Amino acid sequence: MAYDKNNVFARILRGESTCQKVYEDKYTLAFHDIKPQAPVHVLVIPRRASPDMQDFTTRASDAEIAALHRTTARVAQLTGIAEAGYRYLCNIGANGGQEVPHLHVHVFGGRPLGRMLPPT
Ligand code: AMP
């Protein structure tokens, strides 16, 4: 997937669009999803201009890859969902249902989340 520099998360990273920030560090930014699907629904994104997980794991440094995971766990702690449990989900490409072409991990929690996928 080619990287679109004008996607909404790129604009958030450049400060051209606002977000409700939860956490940030050198490699990552975490903010509340604009249309939450659970009481807690946070998105974790890398600062690297990477369209998806395939590109990210090929091009990013080990430190950047580790940071994405660490930030996800930290977000669960900061939002109070770590102890009860939560879901960490990444949509990739068309079949994965990815809408925004900048890699992001969804962190859902705050209620029982049910089955992993809807029955077919
Ligand atoms: P995905 O289908 O995995 O690409 O998910 C994209 C997510 O981005 C959706 O849950 C949207 O609600 C969310 N989203 C889109 N625009 C924004 C925004 N400006 N701020 C926060 N979340 C957003």
Side-chain angles (χ1 to χ4, degrees):
M1 190 188 283
Y3 189 75
D4 168 13
K5 287 189 297 185
N6 289 318
N7 78 75
V8 63
F9 296 166
R11 295 204 304 272
I12 287 173
L13 282 167
R14 289 197 296 268
E16 295 165 11
S17 289
T18 57
C19 70
Q20 256 191 288
K21 194 188 304 173
V22 174
Y23 175 79
E24 68 178 325
D25 62 20
K26 182 177 169 188
Y27 292 125
T28 63
L29 172 67
F31 52 92
H32 290 284
D33 195 290
I34 204 165
K35 286 189 192 160
Q37 295 182 41
V40 173
H41 184 175
V42 174
L43 301 172
V44 179
I45 68 174
R47 292 193 185 277
R48 169 178 286 271
S50 189
D52 60 27
M53 192 63 89
Q54 298 307 115
D55 176 88
F56 188 67
T57 53
T58 304
R59 297 175 196 274
S61 67
D62 289 354
E64 289 171 283
I65 294 168
L68 193 72
H69 291 281
R70 287 213 178 88
T71 296
T72 304
R74 189 181 289 244
V75 160
Q77 205 69 46
L78 289 171
T79 55
I81 61 173
E83 197 171 324
Y86 61 98
R87 185 164 295 157
Y88 172 145
L89 181 145
C90 181
N91 295 321
I92 300 154
N95 276 4
Q98 181 178 2
E99 289 177 355
V100 178
H102 183 111
L103 172 61
H104 50 284
V105 173
H106 296 257
V107 180
F108 300 104
R111 65 166 167 79
L113 295 165
R115 294 170 63 91
M116 193 163 66
L117 290 175
T120 53

